[in-house]
Amino acid sequence: MADIFDLFKKIESAPASKSGQVSWLIVGLGNPGTEYVRTRHNVGFAAIDALAQSIGVKIDRAKYHALIGEAVIDGQRVILMKPQTFMNASGKAVAEAANFYKLNPDHILVYSDDISLAPGRLRVRKNGSAGGHNGLKSIIECIGSQEFPRIKIGVGQKPTPEYDLADWVLGKLPLADGDAVDARHADLIAGTKAVLNEDYDLAARICNGGK
């Protein structure tokens, strides 16, 4: 009996596993609904789906006004999230989960589309403004900070300045552009792992330089 109690004491006194507590929230931005699949605004959803598939996790549990999945990546327990609030209210879901898991903004990684980057281009940013992106704007407003990292995914510029922005980002990606975006998912996943380990120089080298 004493041996069992000794074992319990050892378990209680052992340091907590690095994967025991949620340490990161990874958010892919997009709009719910089949009509938005493969649109420019939904490349964040596609990116987090690719991450989930690569590690054998499903993002299918409804919580925090989002679909979520749990995973351990490089020894860290993370929540994968696809907000179901529509793009302009993405921050509601992010703030709920961040508050529940007591995560600081610098441990919330966001995947978002970016019209200033050509399809197939990625940009890692440790923090920054919304840059006109309504999903990022909502997150900044809801968590009260812009000090969260993001990986921006290029979807290409509007063909003319007069072209309606909403029509552009809600438009379907042409096949070639979609293929160019998909081709960078491996780099995005590798860059994500670097961000989780807070090696932003490595993340930028992996993501920023490719085509």
Side-chain angles (χ1 to χ4, degrees):
M1 217 43 174
D3 290 342
I4 293 176
F5 288 132
D6 287 342
L7 178 60
F8 284 161
K9 286 180 181 178
K10 288 180 181 179
I11 293 172
E12 289 173 357
S13 61
S17 168
K18 192 176 181 183
S19 62
Q21 182 177 348
V22 170
S23 56
W24 279 89
L25 174 63
I26 306 177
V27 183
L29 295 184
N31 288 309
T34 56
E35 66 268 37
Y36 297 107
V37 173
R38 300 301 285 178
T39 61
R40 295 178 178 87
H41 237 5
N42 273 42
V43 293
F45 272 13
I48 203 161
D49 283 341
L51 172 63
Q53 184 177 16
S54 75
I55 56 178
V57 171
K58 291 184 178 180
I59 306 174
D60 58 1
R61 184 151 60 97
K63 202 170 185 180
Y64 315 119
H65 295 89
L67 293 177
I68 67 167
E70 295 188 31
V72 175
I73 302 176
D74 284 2
Q76 301 194 66
R77 188 176 167 211
V78 304
I79 298 295
L80 310 183
M81 170 180 279
K82 296 166 68 176
Q84 300 295 291
T85 52
F86 288 92
M87 182 67 78
N88 293 4
S90 299
K92 182 176 184 179
V94 173
E96 281 191 24
N99 289 336
F100 182 84
Y101 294 108
K102 297 179 173 58
L103 296 174
N104 291 327
D106 63 352
H107 275 229
I108 301 170
L109 173 61
V110 179
Y111 300 155
S112 67
D113 58 289
D114 193 310
I115 64 169
S116 69
L117 299 173
R121 302 289 295 187
L122 302 173
R123 281 288 181 275
V124 175
R125 290 287 181 266
K126 192 173 182 180
N127 50 43
S129 68
H133 191 287
N134 286 335
L136 295 177
K137 180 181 178 182
S138 176
I139 293 172
I140 291 169
E141 289 176 349
C142 289
I143 70 172
S145 173
Q146 61 182 25
E147 299 299 312
F148 58 90
R150 67 285 311 255
I151 299 180
K152 299 182 176 185
I153 304 164
V155 295
Q157 295 183 351
K158 298 186 298 179
T160 65
E162 297 78 23
Y163 199 101
D164 185 77
L165 178 58
D167 287 343
W168 181 248
V169 295
L170 295 178
K172 299 281 187 179
L173 279 164
L175 182 59
D177 290 354
D179 288 346
V181 170
D182 293 347
R184 297 303 308 281
H185 281 162
D187 290 334
L188 180 141
I189 292 167
T192 294
K193 292 179 179 180
V195 170
L196 296 186
N197 288 295
E198 302 187 52
D199 190 340
Y200 287 94
D201 288 340
L202 176 59
R205 288 199 300 273
I206 293 169
C207 293
N208 294 7
K211 295 182 179 179

